[in-house]
Amino acid sequence: MRDLFTTGTPQTIADVLHSKDERVHRQQQLLAQFPQGTVVALKMNVPGPIKTNASLWELFAAGQRQFETQFQDAEQLQTPIVTTTSAGTEVFYVFALAGTTAKQRAMTFEDQEPLGRLFDADVFTSDQKRYSRSTMGYPVRRCFLCDRPAKECGRNRTHSVAELQAYFNQVATEVLGDD
């Protein structure tokens, strides 16, 4: 079985928060540049302090390819922007789609087993609307380990980093094969 977490630079909470601030800034820039577009930010929810390395990037790229199949017929207003820092890899898309349509397609990807479960796709429009499952009347995402609401498990630290990483390793082995 693969072990995705043997190499890489450990990140601090401050590093992760800085990355989040940069993501928000990039989203705002794209919304200002393409006010009629819908911005979709795709990232992988990597557990623990190692957020990127060659194996995690390979897993991200496989997920990105799956994600893009949900949007293959959608007009893109901007070439996808991929950023990789020590805090992880993200890709930003701008589509000529309604926000609800983009979120429905993103949810289809997120709900795919097993790879889509590792990702979050955030959807925004220039009127500063963020599309979420709950605002669209869909149930919240479920934890991939116990089926409770994912945010509840994250907030309560219901599962150890080792348990979450074991799930990632299992998915990587299924999707990418053994090393």
Side-chain angles (χ1 to χ4, degrees), residues 73-152:
D73 65 333
E75 179 186 355
Q76 290 189 31
L77 303 178
Q78 163 78 40
T79 303
I81 301 167
V82 179
T83 61
T84 300
T85 68
S86 54
T89 300
E90 301 168 326
V91 61
F92 299 87
Y93 300 89
V94 182
F95 295 110
L97 287 174
T100 54
T101 302
K103 185 60 180 179
Q104 287 170 336
R105 291 181 184 197
M107 288 187 306
T108 298
F109 164 73
E110 290 173 338
D111 292 340
Q112 289 178 354
E113 292 288 344
L115 198 50
R117 301 280 314 267
L118 306 181
F119 286 81
D120 269 338
D122 294 327
V123 177
F124 301 89
T125 54
S126 63
D127 59 2
Q128 301 303 313
K129 184 168 185 178
R130 180 180 188 272
Y131 292 84
S132 69
R133 289 170 182 262
S134 60
T135 61
M136 292 182 51
Y138 290 92
V140 297
R141 286 188 83 178
R142 310 308 287 182
C143 173
F144 42 70
L145 294 180
C146 71
D147 206 38
R148 287 192 294 249
K151 286 189 179 189
E152 177 185 307

Side-chain angles (χ1 to χ4, degrees), residues 48-82:
I50 303 296
K51 302 295 185 190
T52 192
N53 58 37
S55 296
L56 285 166
W57 192 91
E58 183 181 7
L59 189 62
F60 182 91
Q64 181 183 359
R65 286 189 299 274
Q66 277 189 7
F67 176 82
E68 288 175 352
T69 65
Q70 297 298 323
F71 291 88
Q72 61 192 0
D73 65 333
E75 179 186 355
Q76 290 189 31
L77 303 178
Q78 163 78 40
T79 303
I81 301 167
V82 179

